Amino acid sequence: MSEPRELLAEPLKLRCGAILPNRLAKAALSEQLGDRRNRPTAELAALYRTWSRGGAGTLITGNVMVDPTALGEPRNVAVPREPDVTEFEPWARSADGTETRLWVQLNHPGRQSPRFLSRQPVAPSAVPFGDRGIRSVFATPRALTGEEIEVIIDRFGVAARTVVDAGFAGVQIHGAHGYLVSQFLSPLTNRRTDGWGGDALRRRRFLLEVVARVRAEVGDAVPIAVKLNSADFQRGGFSEEESLEVVRALGEAGIDLLEVSGGTYEKAAMMGAAKASKAGKTSTVSREAYFLGYAAKARRITDVALMVTGGFTSPHGMADALRSGSLDVIGLGRPLIVDPALPGRLLGGEDVRARRTAPKTGIRLADSLLEIQWHTQQMHRVAAGKPVDRRLGAVRTLVRAGVADPLNAFRRVRG
């Protein structure tokens, strides 16, 4: 039987012909390291320089917004209306001197743009969040017109061409976690009855047209990935059955890599918080990955390379997942903040466990937001060449503001 390091070190050839140097990838993490005009910074390049020397074959950036007027967080990088390729080149060159492939994740937040950034965000339909606390952070969106939808599709294409021209090796379209693409896919947030909604086929049209536009802009040799929810984990939402049909359609559309995730701000399965079935819990514990069972089903209907992110802790668990044939790439997110050199250690044969430890706050309702913010702070420390700080630090702002005023807490910590 192959050793874990041998399996993890094996290159992977994608459909388009591009080759990933090994089976470890950094999944997207929202860095919040753009400048006040939402342009890439030297700190962002420094962070990715550190990660590229950590050994992962592929690094996927955090949200790069395709519309500078639609931000998920105040310091997102965004591709301007009239993009300047040279602004993205230092970031793209941060992996120079390594074998690492640096890809950009492209996104539009839709209704998940906070009130202090957007008084009236846009979405497929004017559907507010159901949770009262989340509603205090995000305003009720305005439904997009058909013409506006076409403009956003164009923006994805322009953004993809810009970053590839700057030197990035590939792109990922964010179709998960309740952002705009995910909003189009879900019957809970897409209540349209025109050509962009009304049934499963029309709900997936937006994603497929984005993929087609991006492919037309970057050509056949550049890898295109999609991050897709296995499900929303909400009653009446985007189901696993419908998600698998989208997987089939994406394979036919010619994507090169599919990353499996799940959940939304209201049901954060990507944070390991989803209420899975009893069988699902057993699978997660015994095989480590949150979404491996879904990946096995997806494998039966597509030959697209599959990446699973979330829950992996040990080299043997990662190797077992690869050996099963259910996936091709191991996604690691928050563990690479705690230990940027983790991939190289795994590839070197160390029996090391992936950790994503953040300080415990004891405030259940705020835990996900607090943990996200702690990891964001640590990325800023890594960018500055500082060690991880396991104290709560400025996250105490959120604890003090707490659940009573989540909007003010969100603004004060992230603004």
Side-chain angles (χ1 to χ4, degrees), residues 7-21:
L7 288 168
L8 295 174
E10 186 177 346
L12 176 66
K13 186 175 182 178
L14 301 177
R15 283 172 147 194
C16 65
I19 296 176
L20 305 185

Side-chain angles (χ1 to χ4, degrees), residues 330-348:
I330 303 292
L332 297 169
R334 289 165 288 167
L336 297 197
I337 300 173
V338 178
D339 183 3
L342 176 64
R345 298 172 66 192
L346 291 167
L347 294 169

